[in-house]
Amino acid sequence: MGKKVRYILRKFVPEWLAEKTIDELMRFCKENSIDEVMCFTESAGVYRELLPVEEVKKVAEVLKKVKKALERINVKYSINVLTTIGHGDFGGNISLIHPEVEFMIDYRGKKSKSCACPLSPGWQKLIKETYSIYASTKPEGIWIDDDFRYFYHSPSIEFGCYCERHLETFSKIIGEKINREKLVQLILKPGKPHPLREKWFKFLEDTMIEAGRIIRDTVHKVSPRTRVCWMSSTPYLHEIEGRDPEKQIEALKGKVGSGIRMATTQYYEGNPRFFLIEDEALKKFLPFIPENVLKATEIESMPHSIYVKSARWLSAQIKWGCVLGIENHTLNIYDPLGTPMEIPGVAEMLRKDKKEFNSLLKMVKEGKEFRGINILTHPHSIYYTHTKEGQRMEELYPRESGWTEVLRGFGFPIVYNNSREKVSAITGQILRCFGRKEIEEIFSKGVLLDLSAVETLGSLNLWELAGVRVKGVYHHREKQIGPEELTDTEFGGGKYRFTWTYGVSTLWRVGDLEVVPEARVISRILNPELEFLFNGVVLFENELGGRIAVYPYDFSGASSDLYEKGASKFFYTEYRKLQFHSVIDWLSQGEIPLKVEANGWILPHRVDEEKSITVAAMNINYDFWKRAKFECTVSKRVKRIMLCNKREWKELNRKNWFQKGDKLTVEVRKNIPPLEIIALHISY
């Protein structure tokens, strides 16, 4: 109950406008309840990459003035070190400034002119000097920006670092000389992974952990009470570099803890369904964050104007972070070029909406457990995935998240790596990360599979767990395929109940499934003459007691952007929704953590406490909702339900909800505008 929303404003104070900017910053902080200012060390709009030490000293002098001013108004002061390794090449040649620094070479042999190699002694010396100077200003925290990575330093290089120093060090570890070309060939070898792949990526992970320790020790030597914090990239990108976020944060913690700003990638306003990305990014990160770590969202609007994000959009981002129990919000909403902080409506939003943010946060305490359909993930999944072509690093993605958009769009929240859940949803190759006993444990409960997951299961010789085999796979344009007919009346079926097969998968792959006699086929795929072609959705109860549902479409996705999912807009129909709701109910044996029914797209959430439950849903459509229905399983008799009404919680009238055994149904009838949230606190 003691949590309160904290605004952490990220702001650049230019040397050429220092006095004016500091005065403006102080006024802004006082008027808009800013709790902390995180000062950039340089401007992204006047980006100079790795600064010379003399320039760092000049920056530190400005930072000291900012700190002194903030102390007078009781606002905390932190530092955002914009460049540690380098975000990419921006036209300069940093070797002319830092001739002692070695630079990254990517897996294709391309050399960066700006992104430093973390093993370079020259870089390590420079970083120690740089962070020592910044630490001397005694900030609350020093935040390493998200250039602290090996991947996507575009447009210069893609996946590093394969320089001679890295290769020589790795050769000593494995006891044999290896060059870049041979190493990359073995890493990407089609089929079963070569043992060197795991060793190489573990080596890369260890080098970043050690680089983190160097920064931590440097800072704490000068300022022992300063937290060393990390601005992560999106979790999928850390997954493909084989870096466990928990290990990286542990390396930064020391005795005073650390912090993480969890990237959500949402730098601009767009389709309301973009909020599915924020929800997924945060939920995928949170299970890996250790205790005593400050957790913060990324509220970003690059390049920082009203044309990028409205105040309403920014407010909705903060609200959803509060629903997930996150109290710290980093605000990068004003440009680093000295423009006055006068974006229409934004300051007013921060000032007026903070009470509503605190109201949402109020009901979420520590020790929370997110609930929903379980999504399997693994921080070192790239050790296990099989490649097909062996040409690109993106082939190492396990592509485990293909169901996440479908589930939430149809009203079911997701949760990552919660083995207590009754149902798991699986796509791609994530099952390769687990042993047979772990897989059997998963398949002793409810499991939702797509074609790609069934193919992986088959390659592990575990077809029998799903009750189907893949006889053949077709590209939709290579065979004349008609609609899917929903035939089983218990699963949304009926006479002439057709839904799309065309384009439902962005990969256009559909499987011909051979089923065991005990399986139940609830739909069938027809040809254009409406004659049977092959089986559609298949249900099966295996010998472990598990219930399995198989969809014959490949939802693992075609895009290298893992937030672009494999189920296309053709999958989402009213008949499909009826079928899908019935399938999830069957898989869970009636014990669904939460199902929300409302018009169109839904972003749902559930979190459990010892004596209460909080459920929420955001309207991510352009139309208003007139009603929303919540159905959930509860463990005790419900005493009362509170509805969050803007800045306060009010008890919901008893006529709006009823409980039958462990099933609770709540109906909220009110106009819910786009990007607004219905939140209910259910007390036992």
Side-chain angles (χ1 to χ4, degrees):
M1 290 285 189
K3 281 179 151 185
K4 285 190 176 181
V5 168
R6 296 182 70 250
Y7 292 153
I8 305 174
L9 181 69
R10 299 169 72 190
K11 178 65 178 170
F12 176 64
V13 178
E15 185 182 3
W16 64 87
L17 271 179
E19 188 175 332
K20 180 180 178 182
T21 304
I22 290 171
D23 287 344
E24 180 190 34
L25 180 60
M26 290 179 68
R27 285 196 302 273
F28 187 89
C29 289
K30 286 191 291 185
E31 291 172 2
N32 301 297
S33 303
I34 302 301
D35 300 280
E36 186 171 337
V37 173
M38 189 192 300
C39 295
F40 284 108
T41 54
E42 55 182 313
S43 168
V46 192
Y47 188 47
R48 294 186 292 163
E49 304 163 284
L50 283 166
L51 296 175
V53 171
E54 290 306 312
E55 289 296 318
V56 173
K57 290 177 181 177
K58 290 180 182 178
V59 172
E61 290 304 311
V62 175
L63 295 178
K64 288 175 184 176
K65 294 177 182 178
V66 177
K67 180 186 179 185
K68 189 175 181 180
L70 293 174
E71 284 175 342
R72 293 202 298 269
I73 58 172
N74 199 30
V75 172
K76 292 183 177 180
Y77 150 78
S78 292
I79 298 175
N80 185 169
V81 181
L82 188 59
T83 306
T84 297
I85 285 177
H87 291 273
D89 289 356
F90 288 83
N93 189 342
I94 303 303
S95 63
L96 299 176
I97 302 171
H98 300 294
E100 74 285 1
V101 174
E102 299 159 30
F103 294 90
M104 279 195 195
I105 295 176
D106 74 6
Y107 77 114
R108 299 189 188 278
K110 189 176 180 182
K111 185 174 182 179
S112 174
K113 294 181 178 180
S114 302
C115 299
C117 166
L119 288 184
S120 165
W123 174 80
Q124 292 180 5
K125 180 176 180 293
L126 173 64
I127 286 305
K128 287 177 182 178
E129 291 181 280
T130 298
Y131 275 83
S132 290
I133 294 166
Y134 291 140
S136 70
T137 67
K138 308 296 182 183
E140 182 80 13
I142 288 185
W143 291 77
I144 308 169
D145 213 286
D146 62 10
D147 65 323
F148 190 61
R149 64 182 191 264
Y150 274 124
F151 55 83
Y152 287 140
H153 293 279
S154 58
S156 50
I157 60 172
E158 294 181 11
F159 295 91
C161 178
Y162 293 76
C163 70
E164 283 305 311
R165 186 175 293 278
H166 269 77
L167 293 171
E168 287 175 9
T169 306
F170 184 63
S171 294
K172 291 177 183 177
I173 292 171
I174 63 173
E176 63 176 286
K177 182 75 173 176
I178 192 164
N179 60 32
R180 176 183 55 80
E181 293 83 359
K182 182 64 175 177
L183 177 61
V184 171
Q185 180 188 6
L186 293 176
I187 288 171
L188 294 178
K189 182 182 77 71
K192 186 178 179 180
H194 190 280
L196 276 186
R197 187 203 290 178
E198 179 177 342
K199 291 178 181 179
W200 172 254
F201 282 108
K202 187 177 187 307
F203 163 64
L204 289 185
E205 181 182 46
D206 289 344
T207 62
M208 291 303 284
I209 288 171
E210 180 57 29
R213 289 194 188 107
I214 289 171
I215 294 172
R216 178 200 69 195
D217 293 345
T218 297
V219 170
H220 289 167
K221 185 176 180 180
V222 178
S223 183
R225 295 184 179 180
T226 296
R227 287 177 184 251
V228 180
C229 307
W230 178 38
M231 295 195 165
S232 74
S233 298
T234 178
Y236 288 110
L237 294 180
H238 291 303
E239 192 173 75
I240 203 172
E241 68 171 344
R243 184 151 51 138
D244 184 342
E246 184 174 1
K247 289 183 179 180
Q248 187 64 75
I249 297 167
E250 286 289 354
L252 299 174
K253 274 175 68 173
K255 295 180 180 179
V256 294
S258 183
I260 181 169
R261 182 228 54 189
M262 297 168 284
T264 57
T265 77
Q266 294 308 293
Y267 288 2
Y268 54 89
E269 186 171 323
N271 190 309
R273 296 201 294 276
F274 281 2
F275 279 87
L276 293 166
I277 297 176
E278 177 171 346
D279 178 69
E280 183 174 348
L282 293 173
K283 285 182 176 175
K284 189 171 171 62
F285 246 129
L286 286 167
F288 295 107
I289 300 176
E291 295 298 318
N292 195 24
V293 171
L294 182 152
K295 306 173 188 71
T297 63
E298 177 187 36
I299 310 301
E300 169 82 63
S301 64
M302 183 86 174
H304 317 111
S305 79
I306 197 63
Y307 296 98
V308 181
K309 276 186 183 175
S310 62
R312 182 175 174 80
W313 189 280
L314 291 166
S315 177
Q317 281 192 279
I318 298 172
K319 284 178 189 174
W320 195 252
C322 293
V323 166
L324 300 187
I326 302 167
E327 58 193 302
N328 301 286
H329 303 276
T330 64
L331 311 174
N332 193 15
I333 51 181
Y334 294 102
D335 80 29
L337 296 168
T339 305
M341 300 165 71
E342 297 174 356
I343 300 175
V346 170
E348 182 182 12
M349 177 275 292
L350 292 173
R351 189 166 59 250
K352 290 186 175 180
D353 289 4
K354 198 169 191 180
K355 288 184 178 179
E356 184 176 354
F357 302 152
N358 276 316
S359 183
L360 282 169
L361 193 65
K362 179 181 178 182
M363 295 297 184
V364 183
K365 299 178 288 186
E366 293 295 339
K368 59 185 179 297
E369 179 188 22
F370 290 172
R371 299 291 312 280
I373 306 302
N374 187 41
I375 308 297
L376 303 176
T377 188
H378 194 290
H380 296 127
S381 58
I382 58 169
Y383 295 174
Y384 308 100
T385 50
H386 290 200
T387 65
K388 291 183 179 179
E389 298 173 2
Q391 298 297 316
R392 299 166 60 247
M393 286 291 177
E394 287 87 346
E395 293 181 58
L396 299 178
Y397 278 125
R399 297 186 172 274
E400 77 276 32
S401 65
W403 285 115
T404 57
E405 190 170 280
V406 171
L407 287 162
R408 291 170 296 166
F410 284 154
F412 303 99
I414 59 169
V415 62
Y416 279 87
N417 289 358
N418 187 340
S419 60
R420 294 178 62 241
E421 293 297 351
K422 288 260 186 175
V423 180
S424 295
I426 303 172
T427 62
Q429 299 188 54
I430 194 64
L431 287 173
R432 297 192 192 281
C433 300
F434 304 98
R436 185 182 181 105
K437 286 186 178 180
E438 293 171 298
I439 292 173
E440 288 180 347
E441 176 63 25
I442 293 164
F443 277 77
S444 69
K445 301 176 183 177
V447 181
L448 176 67
L449 301 172
D450 80 327
L451 175 63
S452 66
V454 172
E455 290 175 315
T456 299
L457 195 68
S459 72
L460 298 171
N461 293 316
L462 293 171
W463 296 107
E464 73 277 4
L465 294 179
V468 301
R469 286 180 179 269
V470 179
K471 287 198 297 183
V473 177
Y474 302 95
H475 188 283
H476 205 293
R477 295 293 183 91
E478 295 173 348
K479 189 177 183 68
Q480 284 192 313
I481 300 175
E484 178 182 335
E485 182 182 20
L486 282 62
T487 54
D488 195 316
T489 56
E490 291 184 28
F491 294 88
K495 190 175 182 180
Y496 300 130
R497 287 208 168 183
F498 297 142
T499 191
W500 294 92
T501 61
Y502 175 88
V504 298
S505 159
T506 58
L507 286 165
W508 293 79
R509 296 179 75 239
V510 58
D512 182 1
L513 303 178
E514 178 184 337
V515 304
V516 298
E518 299 83 4
R520 180 176 182 175
V521 180
I522 65 169
S523 69
R524 58 183 192 158
I525 295 173
L526 309 179
N527 65 19
E529 286 72 41
L530 303 185
E531 299 166 334
F532 177 82
L533 199 58
F534 35 75
N535 295 312
V537 179
V538 179
L539 308 181
F540 175 65
E541 295 188 56
N542 61 36
E543 292 184 354
L544 301 174
R547 293 188 172 193
I548 316 302
V550 179
Y551 277 73
Y553 311 108
D554 186 342
F555 293 145
S556 60
S559 175
S560 59
D561 180 351
L562 273 294
Y563 291 115
E564 294 182 13
K565 303 303 180 184
S568 81
K569 59 187 176 184
F570 286 94
F571 188 75
Y572 299 89
T573 68
E574 290 303 316
Y575 281 158
R576 181 71 75 188
K577 180 179 177 180
L578 287 173
Q579 179 198 68
F580 198 79
H581 278 190
S582 300
V583 166
I584 297 297
D585 186 62
W586 179 81
L587 287 172
S588 70
Q589 301 185 54
E591 295 184 27
I592 300 172
L594 175 65
K595 179 176 72 175
V596 181
E597 293 189 59
N599 186 41
W601 286 87
I602 302 163
L603 177 53
H605 177 65
R606 170 172 170 166
V607 58
D608 284 13
E609 305 290 345
E610 186 180 347
K611 297 181 180 179
S612 65
I613 297 168
T614 300
V615 297
M618 180 187 282
N619 179 0
I620 50 173
N621 308 274
Y622 290 109
D623 291 334
F624 277 62
W625 283 347
K626 294 182 179 179
R627 59 178 288 276
K629 183 180 178 183
F630 295 76
E631 296 180 10
C632 59
T633 302
V634 293
S635 60
K636 301 174 185 176
R637 186 177 68 83
V638 173
K639 293 181 179 178
R640 69 173 184 170
I641 299 177
M642 305 291 287
L643 171 68
C644 188
N645 187 21
K646 289 292 184 181
R647 300 182 182 185
E648 59 183 350
W649 292 82
K650 293 184 177 180
E651 186 164 357
L652 191 66
N653 193 304
R654 188 64 177 79
K655 69 180 181 181
N656 294 106
W657 61 274
F658 67 89
Q659 181 179 0
K660 184 177 181 180
D662 63 352
K663 305 296 187 297
L664 176 69
T665 302
V666 185
E667 188 158 0
V668 178
R669 292 186 177 273
K670 60 182 292 189
N671 281 334
I672 304 295
L675 305 186
E676 284 298 322
I677 294 169
I678 302 174
L680 300 168
H681 186 71
I682 301 161
S683 299
Y684 294 138

